[in-house]
Structures are given as structure tokens and as C-alpha cells.
Amino acid sequence: MHTLAVENYRSLRHVVIPLGPLNVITGSNGSGKSSLYRALRLLADASRNGAVAALAREGGLDSTLWAGPGKLERTDGVHPLRTSVRTGTGLRLGFAGDTGDFSYAIDLGKPLPDATSMFNSDPDIKCEAIWSGPVLRPSALLAERNNAIVRIRGTDGDWTDEYQQIRPYDSMLSEFADPQRAPEVLRLRDLVRSWRFYDHVRTDSAAPARSSKVGTRTAVLSNDGEDLAAALQTIREIGDPKALGTAVDLAFPGSRLNVTSDEAGRFDLWLSQPGLHRPLGAAELSDGTLRYLLWVAVLLTPRPPPLLVLNEPETSLHPDLLAPLAQLIVTAAARSQMIVVSHSLPLITSMQRLAGSGLPDVSVNTIELAKVSGQTLVAGQEPLDEPAWHWPRR
């Protein structure tokens, strides 16, 4: 992903940010970090036809739309002067790939009143577009949807004669992903569906990661972490066992991780530490220790996704664990594009230091958000600094 664009979502009235291999979204509390994370999740939900339901869980379209003025005349003197044109009442989300990659945008708006329906609070998908390359141009369009009509460009480069109907609450990513007639839609849908998100994994006393579970090969840790023991054993068998051992030793010097199974195939996780006469089971580990091991399983996955998004991974971690976590994140950025939402300066500083050392050869793209007059802005970004971006027209 080369560019992320969001418009009219909560405090994100207009945000267009450049992305690199390793991106850190930071800022003070209330600056819009969580909104940007949710916007990314909404994009992913669209590929599963779940954007409308996701907005409903947030209180509906009216609750999520930008509620401020359409024009910001002046800032607080710290950030550059910004004037912006009102963009209407649609919630717009999109991302652009590099040259040769696919890009996508979606525009959700209020439905036309229907006296026969009780679902008049559900947003309609007003338009969608898939194009090739980083900038939307008519010649780069591969598929577009305008209200209920979808048209797709054929293999000869011309638009197909057949205009196809779609329901206002369905995304063309889920309805028109056909390997023969619309291979670009299918490829982009599968790409977005492969994005991986982790947000506040549970480590409380009743957390699924603390109990025994029947284990199977687990290349991808579940969101609730219930298969932690199986995921770590999978890394040991088909992933990078050396990196696993290093990650544990950096965080807990001299400690050793072990996974056992009983006759019923139930897996248990154990951590042996210097000075203790017996290993500690997952149920006995501190919240911070368990959370770190969950991040180890996430970041050393044998099946890295094209995009991995972590929301505040520093939560509940002891300060001594932030440097080992930073090393895991920087190393993972060599295999997956990373977006890390964080307000931990020590974690960000550690990532910047490690990336600057050249091992691995990635740089940290730090994006600081700030809120001015209720609107989230990218600190220090002037209008001409924004990546080129054009929304599809309704």
C-alpha cells in the first residue's frame, strides 16, 4: 500500500498519508489514532461485505460522519494554514498501490428514504472504483460502481457492454469477484481479505491463551489468542525457531519456552526462568509476559500477510519489554508491510534506532496526528506534501 486516504470519518475530515514498509501512527490522546485504525478495518470489512454492519456497530453512519465545518480557515499557529473544500456527506475510504498494483476507493452515503423498509439508517454504497497504479485516472480504471450499476473493463481494454446491477448495501468486491470476467476484482478482494489486524489481545485471568486447547498446526494466531501454544509450536517446527528463541531470550534472559501435549492432543505452554525450580504455565504468567508472547506469535508467523496492523501493542508491557518488541516489529517489516498505532515514545524510539542500524534495511515512516478545531491533521504536512489522490465521482 502506497497511500491511505480517509474523508469524513469521525475527526478524519480529510487525511491522505504516504505509507512505507514500516509505518508508525502516533499522537496525543484523542488525536485520531483510533479513528485511523478503525478506518483501515472498515476498508477490510468492505472486502467481506461487512462495512455496513461495521458502521452499524459504531452507531450508524450519522454517528461516524465528520460533524464539523466543511472549511477549516485557520489553525492554532503551530500547524500550517489549511483551507479545504466541503466534500459532501459521504464517508470515503481508499488506498493506492504502487505502479503496477491495484488501488481501491469506496464512498458510503445516506440512503434514499424508503417507507417500506425499516433499514433507512443503513448507509448505501454510492460508488466504488478499482484502478491500476497510485493515481485514479479514467484510463487506469479497471472496474467501477455508481449506485446500483457496475461496469468492468474487459481483457481487450474496453468496457464490457453488459451493465450489471448490484444492491445498494453490497460491495462489488464481494459480488463481482469472478476469475474469468473480473480477475482484477478477485485479486484485489483477496489482497484486502489477507490484511491482518490485532487489537488489545486478552491477557486477563480468563483469557483463552491461558487455558489448554487441542492443538493443530497454526500458522496464523487467532485474534483472541486461544491457540497461542499451537502457534508457537508451529513457528518452532515450520517457521524460524532461532528467531523464536532469540525473542524469548531478549525479553527474559536465560528463559526457555516449552510446549507440551497430552494424550488428547491438548497443548500447554510453559516458561522456564532462571531461579525458579519449575516452569510457569500460561495461567501463571503475568499479563505483560503473556502479552509479549502473543506478539511473538503474531510477528514470527510462518505465513506473513501483505499488511499487518497492530493497535497499541505496548499496552500492559513492562518498559524492559519494549526494546525486544521493537526488534520483532522491525524484523517483521522485512516480510510484511507494517502499520503500528502507538503513543509509546520508548517503543517508537527503539524502532527508529533499530531501523537506522540497517538490520533489516527498512526505515520508519512516523506519522504524527494532531487535532485542530476538532479535525485530525498530519502534523507538519502541508497540502502540497500530500500524495496525489482523486476520489471517484458519484
Side-chain angles (χ1 to χ4, degrees):
M1 191 191 306
H2 179 271
T3 303
L4 174 66
V6 184
E7 208 163 79
N8 295 328
Y9 179 67
R10 298 193 177 275
S11 65
L12 307 174
R13 205 212 63 78
H14 174 82
V15 172
V16 181
I17 57 176
L19 297 175
L22 175 53
N23 308 276
V24 176
I25 311 296
T26 188
S28 60
N29 289 335
S31 60
K33 301 187 301 296
S34 295
S35 293
L36 195 64
Y37 175 80
R38 290 177 184 173
L40 268 168
R41 296 214 69 154
L42 273 176
L43 265 173
D45 288 334
S47 70
R48 293 179 169 84
N49 225 9
V52 172
L55 285 171
R57 290 192 294 271
E58 295 189 41
L61 183 64
D62 288 338
S63 298
T64 56
L65 280 176
W66 161 250
K71 190 174 184 179
L72 181 63
E73 294 289 352
R74 189 172 299 280
T75 68
D76 60 0
V78 176
H79 302 281
L81 177 70
R82 287 179 62 100
T83 57
S84 48
V85 179
R86 181 181 295 276
T87 56
T89 58
L91 190 165
R92 294 170 166 178
L93 308 165
F95 70 91
D98 291 313
T99 302
D101 294 334
F102 294 144
S103 305
Y104 172 75
I106 182 172
D107 183 347
L108 299 108
K110 295 181 180 180
L112 295 175
D114 182 356
T116 66
S117 175
M118 294 180 64
F119 300 104
N120 286 312
S121 296
D122 286 359
D124 283 355
I125 300 175
K126 301 297 185 179
C127 63
E128 294 175 275
I130 297 173
W131 66 95
S132 176
V135 181
L136 174 60
R137 302 186 306 273
S139 60
L141 265 174
L142 300 172
E144 67 174 353
R145 175 253 189 87
N146 206 308
N147 291 313
I149 303 298
V150 174
R151 64 173 186 163
I152 296 170
R153 199 181 293 275
T155 56
D156 57 0
D158 294 329
W159 293 107
T160 57
D161 294 333
E162 182 181 358
Y163 288 81
Q164 304 175 71
Q165 295 282 331
I166 189 171
R167 291 180 291 267
Y169 46 84
D170 286 333
S171 168
M172 70 176 183
L173 293 186
S174 61
E175 299 299 303
F176 290 94
D178 186 283
Q180 300 299 323
R181 300 173 62 189
E184 295 87 358
V185 179
L186 178 64
R187 286 177 56 190
L188 186 129
R189 184 201 69 179
D190 289 347
L191 170 71
V192 177
R193 285 185 176 183
S194 67
W195 294 354
R196 212 170 290 166
F197 296 82
Y198 288 95
D199 180 11
H200 300 305
V201 289
R202 284 182 58 187
T203 56
D204 57 272
S205 59
R210 294 190 180 276
S211 58
S212 301
K213 294 289 188 303
V214 174
T216 61
R217 286 188 177 87
T218 305
V220 179
L221 182 74
S222 62
N223 283 335
D224 64 3
E226 68 169 359
D227 45 12
L228 173 61
L232 292 171
Q233 184 61 26
T234 302
I235 293 170
R236 181 170 285 160
E237 292 189 12
I238 66 171
D240 191 340
K242 183 178 179 181
L244 175 60
T246 300
V248 172
D249 189 62
L250 281 174
F252 317 109
S255 298
R256 185 166 44 85
L257 200 64
N258 191 30
V259 177
T260 62
S261 64
D262 60 19
E263 293 180 355
R266 301 178 70 87
F267 281 36
D268 284 291
L269 178 65
W270 305 92
L271 183 66
S272 300
Q273 297 177 295
L276 297 182
H277 297 296
R278 65 173 181 83
L280 299 180
E284 303 172 281
L285 298 177
S286 69
D287 286 4
T289 299
L290 183 62
R291 189 177 298 274
Y292 177 79
L293 294 176
L294 285 161
W295 289 130
V296 169
V298 167
L299 293 163
L300 293 182
T301 171
R303 189 179 297 163
L307 176 67
L308 181 56
V309 187
L310 310 182
N311 189 23
E312 298 187 353
E314 70 273 9
T315 303
S316 298
L317 290 185
H318 189 277
D320 290 346
L321 296 179
L322 296 180
L325 176 62
Q327 181 159 326
L328 281 167
I329 292 172
V330 172
T331 302
R335 304 190 301 156
S336 299
Q337 185 177 28
M338 300 286 300
I339 297 179
V340 181
V341 180
S342 174
H343 55 73
S344 170
L345 183 58
L347 176 63
I348 297 170
T349 302
S350 293
M351 284 191 281
Q352 292 170 335
R353 176 178 53 81
L354 288 165
S357 68
L359 294 173
D361 187 18
V362 296
S363 60
V364 179
N365 176 33
T366 303
I367 301 158
E368 182 181 356
L369 302 181
K371 189 173 284 187
V372 179
S373 301
Q375 176 178 337
T376 294
L377 304 175
V378 178
Q381 184 188 68
E382 298 186 19
L384 293 179
D385 295 331
E386 289 184 355
W389 180 265
H390 303 292
W391 292 106
R393 294 183 179 181
R394 292 188 181 183

